[in-house]
Amino acid sequence: MAFSRDPLDELVVPDGTEAKEVDLVTDGDVLVGARSTIDFGVRGRNVLAGESVEFGGAIEAEGDCRLDMWCDVAENVLVGQDAYIGERVHVAGEMKVAGDLDIGDDVEIEEGFEANGWIVIRNPMPTIVLLFVYLKHLLLVGEEDTAQRLVSELVDEEGDAQPDVEPLVIPRNATVSDDAWRVSTPATIGDDCRLHGNVRAETIDVGTDTTIFGSLRARGDVTVGEGTRIHGDLTTRDGDVTIEPNARILGDVSCNDLELGPEAEIDGTIRADGEITMGTTERDPE
C-alpha cells in the first residue's frame, strides 16, 4: 500500500471485507484513528487503534494488537502475537495474548489476562502517537519512500508479509455501526465487500461486485462499480454520479451530472441538475 498523504485521512475498506453478524472481518490489518466509535468487533491481521477508540465487540488479531490510551473494548481481546496496551484502557472481557504483553498504567481488564511470553507493566503507547506524527512529518517533507518503508516494516514484519492485502483504515472521529458509516473524509470501498449501514463521506468510490445494505450520501462525486448493488438511495450535494455497467441502485439517485453504464439500473427516481449520459452495450459483429 503506497501512501501519498496521512493514511488516516480516508476511509478505506479493502477487497473482500464483510460485516459478519457483530464483527468486521478483513484479511489484512485494521488501522483506527483516534476518537472513533466502532460498534462492531474487528477481526484482522494486526489491529492498531489511536487514543479514545471505542469498540462495541471483541478484537481478534492474528498478529499484534496495539491499543492507545483510553481505548474501550466491550468484549474479549484475543491476540496471536504481541499486545501493546496503553494506560487507562478498559476491556470488559478477558485478554489472551500468545506472545508478549506490554501494558500501561491503570488498565482495567475485567475478566483477567494471560500471556505466553513476557508481561511488562508500563506505559508504552506513545509509540502509536509517535508513529503517526513521524509518518505525517515524512509525508509533509516529501519523504514518501521513507514513509512507505516505515509502514511496510510495521505491517509486514518477520516474514508474515502479505503486501497485496490492503489494510482496513478508519479515520479519526469516525462512527461505524449497522446504522451508518460516518466520516468527514473521502471513502473508498473495495471489490467483493458486503456491508451494512448508510455510508456518509466527502466522496465515495465503491468497487465491483460489492453489496451495501444502506444508502450512499456524499458532498462530492460518487462512483459505483460494475455489478455492485446498493440497497438504498444515492445522493450527492455538489458532485456527479457514475454508475458502471450492471450495477443496480435500489432507490433514488440525486446529483449534478449522471453517467449510467450499459445495463445499469436505478429502481427509484432520478434527480439530475445537469446531464444524464447513458452507455450502450456494444454488439459483436455478425
Side-chain angles (χ1 to χ4, degrees):
M1 179 180 182
F3 294 112
S4 59
R5 58 181 181 178
D6 187 337
L8 294 178
D9 278 349
E10 182 177 6
L11 170 66
V12 178
V13 181
D15 297 348
T17 299
E18 295 187 53
K20 291 186 176 180
E21 297 180 353
V22 295
D23 292 326
L24 284 178
V25 182
T26 185
D27 292 333
D29 299 324
V30 180
L31 308 179
V32 184
R35 297 174 296 282
S36 291
T37 299
I38 316 299
D39 283 352
F40 298 99
V42 296
R43 289 160 54 188
R45 191 170 58 188
N46 299 308
V47 178
L48 293 80
E51 66 179 49
S52 302
V53 173
E54 296 183 11
F55 293 92
I59 294 176
E60 295 185 29
E62 295 179 8
D64 293 347
C65 178
R66 299 169 183 256
L67 303 179
D68 207 340
M69 58 185 70
W70 295 302
C71 285
D72 190 286
V73 183
E75 297 181 19
N76 300 328
V77 177
L78 307 177
V79 184
Q81 294 182 12
D82 300 332
Y84 306 83
I85 310 300
E87 61 182 1
R88 297 181 176 85
V89 166
H90 172 254
V91 177
E94 63 179 348
M95 178 178 292
K96 292 185 177 181
V97 181
D100 299 336
L101 172 60
D102 205 335
I103 191 168
D105 296 331
D106 298 322
V107 171
E108 181 182 4
I109 303 173
E110 294 188 10
E111 297 184 15
F113 63 89
E114 60 182 71
N116 290 335
W118 292 97
I119 298 177
V120 179
I121 300 176
R122 56 179 178 176
N123 178 23
M125 284 314 300
T127 303
I128 290 288
V129 179
L130 178 61
L131 169 65
F132 287 114
V133 170
Y134 179 49
L135 181 59
K136 190 168 186 177
H137 171 73
L138 290 174
L139 296 173
L140 287 173
V141 299
E143 293 288 341
E144 294 182 11
D145 290 342
T146 304
Q148 178 63 54
R149 287 196 299 272
L150 174 65
V151 173
S152 297
E153 289 172 4
L154 174 70
V155 171
D156 303 325
E157 58 188 32
E158 295 184 2
D160 293 328
Q162 300 180 36
D164 294 333
V165 181
E166 229 183 345
L168 169 62
V169 180
I170 298 174
R172 302 173 184 86
N173 303 305
T175 300
V176 175
S177 69
D178 252 342
D179 178 62
W181 296 55
R182 300 181 185 274
V183 300
S184 57
T185 67
T188 300
I189 299 171
D191 304 337
D192 301 306
C193 296
R194 186 178 179 87
L195 306 178
H196 295 264
N198 304 310
V199 180
R200 306 288 184 258
E202 186 68 25
T203 61
I204 302 174
D205 187 346
V206 184
T208 62
D209 298 317
T210 283
T211 300
I212 298 178
F213 295 96
S215 62
L216 306 182
R217 182 180 298 172
R219 292 179 180 272
D221 296 342
V222 178
T223 300
V224 177
E226 184 172 353
T228 285
R229 297 291 182 267
I230 307 298
H231 293 257
D233 297 336
L234 193 164
T235 305
T236 173
R237 181 182 300 178
D238 301 313
D240 302 330
V241 168
T242 300
I243 302 175
E244 296 185 354
N246 296 306
R248 184 176 181 184
I249 311 299
L250 287 82
D252 300 337
V253 173
S254 179
C255 59
N256 288 334
D257 294 341
L258 172 63
E259 181 179 345
L260 280 172
E263 300 185 29
E265 298 181 30
I266 297 173
D267 287 5
T269 302
I270 298 175
R271 301 180 182 89
D273 295 334
E275 297 181 349
I276 299 178
T277 304
M278 303 182 68
T280 58
T281 303
E282 295 184 2
R283 294 185 178 180
D284 295 330
E286 296 181 358

